[in-house]
Amino acid sequence: MSSGKRHNGFQDFPDAGKRQNANSKFTKEDRMRLATFEGLDFVPSHSKVYQAWLKKRGSSLHADWDYWLMMGLTGIGTGVTGFLTYQTIKLLTRLKWEFVLPYIQDSNYMLTWSYVFGISAVMMIVSSLSVLFVCPTSSASGLPEVIALLNGAAINNVFNLRTFLGVTISFILSVAAGIFCGPEGPMIILGAIVGSSFSQLESDIFRFRLPIQRFRNLADRSKFIMAGAGAGLASVFRAPVGGLLFTIEEVAFSGDIRLAWQTFFCCMMAALTTDILTSAFEGYIYQGHFGIFQAAKSIVFWVNNFEDMSILAFIPAVIIGIIGGLLGSAFVFLNINLNKFRRKMFGKIKNLYIRKFCQLLEVQIILLLTLTVTIYVPSFFPCTSADNYELPTLINESMQLNTSDVIINKNAFYLFNCPKGLSWKGPNEEIFSNRTINQVATLLVENGRNGITYLFNRDFPELFGYPALFIGLASYFFFSCWAAGSALAGGLVVPMLYTGALYGRIVGLSTISIFGIPTDRYGAWINPGLFATIGAASYMSGVTRITISLTVLMIEVTNDIQALLPITVAVMVAQRVGDMLTQPFYSATLELKCVPILPEDPKVKINKNDLNLELFTAGNIMKRNPRTVHLRESVVCLARLLQDTQHSAFPVIHKPDQDHHEVFVGTITRMELCKLLQSERIFESEDLKSDVYINQLSYEEINTEKLSKLAATNQVINKYISDPKYEDVFINLEPYINQSATTVHDGFSLHRTYRIFQKLGLRHLTVVDKKNQVVGIITRKDLMEFNLEEMLEPSVCQPKSDTELIFLMSMPHESSHDI
């Protein structure tokens, strides 16, 4: 075995500062952070003990009823969670604004601001503390962590009860306090945690572990995390199809059609559970409509007025798509650079508690400025007439329509500093009013969901003027960009939909200013509400670059099938424009966090030229001379191997007979070696060579994702190294090695190597020569774009002939990184 120090991935960079490619986005410090992320084995090790475990299961191997049952329970649990969190947000928001409503109506803005800021500041302190001290990994939406885990990067201490409680408390209070964020993103990670917890039936915090091990493996756990993530989105939007497509397009998908059906079932149960509970309760008060799904409640942004579409509608759809791509890219660029600056500044503060205090202070500053804009800016704008604007969304559900001549809406925050006004029924049951509304307050004071519903409304094209729309656009774009990445758990879905709906409505209002309000069916498509719907989809696509799931989601949440084609066009245009300018938001966030994620199509550039990876081989980027173990290895050698390295897996070699060379027979992970060394009953003397493994460990005993007692393991390793009696004691690894470990030969196409690694979700890929001898190993970090650029740069030159090109590509590339 070769000697030398090696860590999991990139850690030692003796020449990183000297030979860093100009295109590389990772500094030396970033690469050190990359090295902290372990890979994941989604496929169980195909060992002899695993085969014995499968035989014990017998016919249950192909019976998947328990998968469907657990998927249903995950959906129900996520649906209940979605209902409880949203109702709590509505209750806290209503109580806060009802408390200050009299001061608003008296135009006492100083007292209004003081009370609102005081209440909200307390909420935000608790929200930030739950992030900073309960679960530091719950900042932002939590969605990047779900994407990272399902793409093969181990994210520790995320999918547990502490994170669940921390995220729940933080995003409920953040949204209720008035920060421009939403509950949709955090609900994705909450659903993922529900799926993980239900399937594993264990808790490190409460120290219980039920004796049911059916799904207690990473492969099954990842399936329930994926389904739970989709169910979280389906719950808040009542969109099961959108939830399924979101997991396929944005999170991760293995191509298993049965898993797709099970995920859809989970999403359906989540949406159904939330719908049933919402039909019966409003603000935790029973309404007596159990099981009656009202359209206005089940369809989140209900559009009940559909107009005929025209081919001319695609012209503004393209314009809106271009705006969405540009603004979405601007959001990604500003947010990523803001978070880089935030990390740099907070990183300079060495004292932990001072650093956390500064993070808490930043959130309070965001809240202070947000509430100042929310409360004071509307006071500078006059009220406008709202005659006959009897919108269902503008009439609070507490308002009672009766035969009397006076109808007063007591909870209408959109009235702000305007007179309440009166509404009455005419002789023909027509409703008239002399009310006025504050347009800016309608967009800023109300919560995000209500504001989006107002913007999507088709009945009143000129409900909002240019000043209100531009102020709302600037406020939501700026404050949502600032809040994303700060010490709070909040989603960006509602702010993205809101921002897009605002500029979409501006485009629609401009169209009306040019052509006027249409009076015939041929111009019915000229409607700011329609353009707001298209704009919401285009901006979200410009930020996230999702297309198919977003289009379906928009149809599900609006019920507007007529807008399908314009939305599709705008989404595709926004995605293409955004791709030309910046990375997708979640990809850029994962890169900022130095999480090793492999993109679908790697963009490897050297000297601004794209490289074709088919021109290179696996031997060009593999780590040479990997540390290996023999099929029958001494306890001392294994102990020293674990002590001297941090590798997560090792190739296993064996010499079939005395005259044969050592060949590759499989791999074994670090965790498995640690479990084996902790069990002395499997140790053998040097002269014992039997094919009967009487005292071997079972698959249940060796199957683990983490070591429960790391200190005890280190103590055992040190004992073996220091005690001479273990020098002649051996372990037969044959029952435990992965006999189906994937390999490629060193001349295999690098592009196809990348595809195999990515599509199979591999953690390690062993490289062998034509004699099946181990010559190298490839890990996820070796296939990162910046490493491909550095390793392949010496091969990129201008050869004088084809012969010289073939010679250069066949030359081995020395690497200082042993594994």
Side-chain angles (χ1 to χ4, degrees):
M1 293 180 287
S2 64
S3 60
K5 218 169 40 168
R6 174 63 189 156
H7 300 275
N8 180 43
F10 301 107
Q11 183 118 10
D12 300 318
F13 302 97
D15 57 346
K18 297 178 182 178
R19 201 174 66 82
Q20 183 173 336
N21 188 281
N23 296 318
S24 178
K25 300 177 182 178
F26 290 91
T27 64
K28 183 177 178 179
E29 293 179 354
D30 290 335
R31 302 182 194 195
M32 298 286 284
R33 296 182 66 197
L34 267 171
T36 63
F37 287 95
E38 285 282 350
L40 295 174
D41 293 305
F42 287 116
V43 181
S45 173
H46 188 253
S47 60
K48 290 185 177 180
V49 293
Y50 175 69
Q51 291 175 304
W53 177 71
L54 289 179
K55 288 181 180 179
K56 282 198 306 182
R57 288 176 54 188
S59 60
S60 65
L61 177 63
H62 298 288
D64 60 353
W65 63 267
D66 45 358
Y67 278 98
W68 289 93
L69 175 62
M70 191 59 67
M71 287 291 181
L73 293 176
T74 298
I76 293 173
T78 304
V80 172
T81 302
F83 167 77
L84 295 176
T85 53
Y86 184 61
Q87 291 298 322
T88 304
I89 290 172
K90 288 182 65 175
L91 179 63
L92 293 177
T93 303
R94 181 172 61 82
L95 292 176
K96 181 185 71 174
W97 285 106
E98 280 185 351
F99 179 76
V100 299
L101 189 60
Y103 305 112
I104 294 177
Q105 294 173 342
D106 293 338
S107 299
N108 192 340
Y109 301 116
M110 177 59 73
L111 203 55
T112 299
W113 181 89
S114 300
Y115 278 122
V116 172
F117 179 72
I119 296 172
S120 299
V122 174
M123 291 183 180
M124 288 311 304
I125 290 174
V126 178
S127 173
S128 296
L129 290 178
S130 67
V131 167
L132 295 172
F133 291 98
V134 178
C135 53
T137 56
S138 69
S139 59
S141 68
L143 178 57
E145 283 73 17
V146 178
I147 297 174
L149 183 132
L150 293 178
N151 281 274
I155 309 294
N156 298 322
N157 302 320
V158 171
F159 299 95
N160 54 32
L161 181 61
R162 287 189 58 179
T163 302
F164 184 91
L165 294 176
V167 171
T168 303
I169 294 171
S170 182
F171 88 80
I172 286 176
L173 295 178
S174 297
V175 177
I179 295 291
F180 290 165
C181 61
E184 291 73 18
M187 268 304 302
I188 292 175
I189 191 173
L190 292 188
I193 295 173
V194 170
S196 176
S197 302
F198 279 22
S199 62
Q200 300 306 291
L201 300 175
E202 63 177 347
S203 173
D204 292 336
I205 295 177
F206 292 107
R207 300 175 185 248
F208 76 87
R209 184 182 178 94
L210 298 182
I212 302 176
Q213 297 188 341
R214 176 67 172 90
F215 306 114
R216 201 166 287 159
N217 59 80
L218 185 57
D220 287 332
R221 178 170 172 248
S222 65
K223 294 177 183 179
F224 290 106
I225 289 176
M226 171 182 161
L233 190 69
S235 172
V236 290
F237 281 130
R238 321 291 205 278
V241 180
L244 168 65
L245 293 178
F246 176 80
T247 61
I248 294 176
E249 186 174 7
E250 184 67 15
V251 180
F253 184 63
S254 62
D256 185 350
I257 189 63
R258 183 170 61 177
L259 176 59
W261 274 110
Q262 291 169 347
T263 302
F264 177 67
F265 176 66
C266 181
C267 293
M268 182 191 70
M269 292 301 298
L272 178 63
T273 302
T274 305
D275 267 338
I276 291 176
L277 294 175
T278 304
S279 70
F281 296 92
E282 182 66 32
Y284 296 115
I285 299 176
Y286 182 66
Q287 302 295 316
H289 304 294
F290 184 82
I292 304 299
F293 302 149
Q294 302 176 42
K297 287 186 176 182
S298 298
I299 303 172
V300 180
F301 307 122
W302 185 37
V303 175
N304 61 349
N305 186 9
F306 310 113
E307 303 291 351
D308 295 336
M309 196 60 60
S310 168
I311 193 172
L312 297 176
F314 292 103
I315 298 175
V318 171
I319 296 173
I320 292 173
I322 294 173
I323 297 173
L326 295 174
L327 276 182
S329 297
F331 178 92
V332 174
F333 176 80
L334 292 175
N335 181 261
I336 295 301
N337 282 279
L338 175 62
N339 283 321
K340 287 181 180 178
F341 175 77
R342 180 183 280 136
R343 188 176 72 177
K344 180 180 178 181
M345 295 304 296
F346 289 146
K348 293 180 179 179
I349 304 174
K350 302 304 180 183
N351 186 284
L352 176 63
Y353 292 100
I354 296 178
R355 182 166 67 247
K356 291 184 181 294
F357 174 78
C358 292
Q359 291 176 284
L360 178 63
L361 183 62
E362 182 200 14
V363 173
Q364 295 298 320
I365 294 174
I366 297 174
L367 176 67
L368 173 69
L369 296 179
T370 302
L371 292 181
T372 301
V373 170
T374 299
I375 294 174
Y376 275 101
V377 170
S379 66
F380 292 101
F381 288 85
C383 298
T384 56
S385 174
D387 289 348
N388 300 324
Y389 283 8
E390 201 63 38
L391 303 178
T393 53
L394 292 179
I395 298 295
N396 190 279
E397 293 176 4
S398 64
M399 181 176 181
Q400 299 296 322
L401 291 175
N402 49 44
T403 55
S404 64
D405 60 344
V406 178
I407 305 172
I408 300 177
N409 187 353
K410 296 181 180 180
N411 298 325
F413 303 125
Y414 59 86
L415 296 176
F416 207 66
N417 57 342
C418 306
K420 292 180 181 178
L422 302 176
S423 297
W424 62 92
K425 289 185 178 181
N428 297 324
E429 297 298 316
E430 295 181 359
I431 298 178
F432 299 91
S433 72
N434 62 351
R435 292 179 298 159
T436 57
I437 65 170
N438 189 310
Q439 297 180 7
V440 179
T442 304
L443 294 177
L444 295 182
V445 177
E446 284 276 21
N447 66 59
R449 282 197 176 188
N450 288 350
I452 294 172
T453 308
Y454 303 156
L455 294 170
F456 285 0
N457 188 273
R458 308 290 171 80
D459 293 327
F460 307 101
E462 297 180 299
L463 177 62
F464 299 105
Y466 289 109
L469 293 173
F470 276 107
I471 289 173
L473 176 61
S475 300
Y476 261 85
F477 180 86
F478 175 74
F479 286 115
S480 64
C481 183
W482 189 4
S486 60
L488 58 88
L492 284 173
V493 177
V494 164
M496 285 190 289
L497 294 177
Y498 209 146
T499 304
L502 285 165
Y503 72 70
R505 189 110 189 170
I506 291 173
V507 173
L509 194 60
S510 302
T511 308
I512 285 181
S513 299
I514 297 172
F515 300 104
I517 298 178
T519 56
D520 56 42
R521 60 180 298 186
Y522 296 101
W525 60 272
I526 304 178
N527 191 301
L530 171 64
F531 293 166
T533 306
I534 298 172
S538 70
Y539 183 70
M540 190 169 176
S541 178
V543 174
T544 63
R545 315 296 154 76
I546 58 177
T547 53
I548 301 174
S549 59
L550 176 58
T551 303
V552 174
L553 181 67
M554 290 302 300
I555 301 305
E556 284 191 284
V557 299
T558 62
N559 196 37
D560 188 4
I561 192 65
Q562 281 286 80
L564 174 62
L565 292 180
I567 288 176
T568 304
V569 170
V571 163
M572 293 179 65
V573 171
Q575 188 255 357
R576 296 303 300 170
V577 172
D579 279 342
M580 290 188 293
L581 299 175
T582 62
Q583 290 180 280
F585 175 71
Y586 294 120
S587 297
T589 301
L590 289 170
E591 184 179 280
L592 180 64
K593 294 184 176 183
C594 299
V595 178
I597 296 297
L598 301 181
E600 182 72 19
D601 294 306
K603 298 178 181 178
V604 182
K605 292 179 177 287
I606 295 181
N607 299 327
K608 299 182 179 179
N609 295 319
D610 292 330
L611 291 188
N612 184 356
L613 298 186
E614 286 280 19
L615 297 174
F616 304 93
T617 66
N620 291 129
I621 57 100
M622 69 182 182
K623 301 281 193 310
R624 296 183 176 276
N625 303 317
R627 303 294 294 270
T628 59
V629 296
H630 294 88
L631 195 60
R632 193 169 185 267
E633 191 68 88
S634 71
V635 171
V636 173
C637 286
L638 292 177
R640 285 176 178 164
L641 180 68
L642 296 178
Q643 186 182 65
D644 296 340
T645 68
Q646 293 296 322
H647 311 333
S648 52
F650 304 90
V652 182
I653 58 177
H654 176 59
K655 183 182 291 188
D657 53 61
Q658 193 66 28
D659 298 329
H660 204 281
H661 54 264
E662 293 179 323
V663 296
F664 173 78
V665 292
T667 59
I668 192 164
T669 67
R670 184 182 191 87
M671 293 293 181
E672 290 168 341
L673 288 179
C674 289
K675 295 291 287 186
L676 293 175
L677 289 176
Q678 289 177 345
S679 304
E680 293 196 29
R681 75 172 191 263
I682 65 171
F683 293 177
E684 300 176 352
S685 61
E686 184 177 8
D687 56 349
L688 179 61
K689 295 182 179 180
S690 173
D691 294 332
V692 181
Y693 314 109
I694 300 176
N695 296 319
Q696 74 177 28
L697 299 181
S698 65
Y699 178 71
E700 291 89 344
E701 292 176 294
I702 200 172
N703 179 39
T704 181
E705 291 183 35
K706 59 183 179 180
L707 295 174
S708 57
K709 298 179 180 179
L710 184 59
T713 303
N714 293 332
Q715 186 177 2
V716 169
I717 290 174
N718 293 330
K719 181 185 73 171
Y720 293 155
I721 295 175
S722 59
D723 194 337
K725 75 176 184 179
Y726 291 100
E727 293 181 356
D728 297 325
V729 177
F730 291 78
I731 297 180
N732 192 337
L733 301 178
E734 186 174 359
Y736 315 105
I737 65 170
N738 182 9
Q739 304 172 104
S740 300
T742 307
T743 63
V744 295
H745 61 81
D746 52 356
F748 197 80
S749 161
L750 178 55
H751 182 266
R752 302 177 197 194
T753 300
Y754 185 95
R755 290 294 184 195
I756 290 174
F757 202 100
Q758 181 195 54
K759 296 301 182 182
L760 296 182
L762 300 180
R763 185 177 185 181
H764 307 90
L765 184 62
T766 306
V767 184
V768 298
D769 60 12
K770 295 179 180 179
K771 297 179 180 179
N772 200 31
Q773 292 179 293
V774 177
V775 294
I777 196 166
I778 298 174
T779 65
R780 176 175 297 271
K781 301 180 185 74
D782 297 326
L783 295 174
M784 296 287 288
E785 292 174 353
F786 75 89
N787 187 61
L788 292 176
E789 291 170 356
E790 291 188 355
M791 296 298 295
L792 301 179
E793 185 176 15
S795 298
V796 179
C797 59
Q798 297 297 328
K800 297 179 180 180
S801 65
D802 291 344
T803 304
E804 184 179 348
L805 176 60
I806 294 173
F807 172 75
L808 287 171
M809 288 191 300
S810 64
M811 288 290 290
H813 295 273
E814 297 299 329
S815 173
S816 61
H817 314 305
D818 294 330
I819 190 163

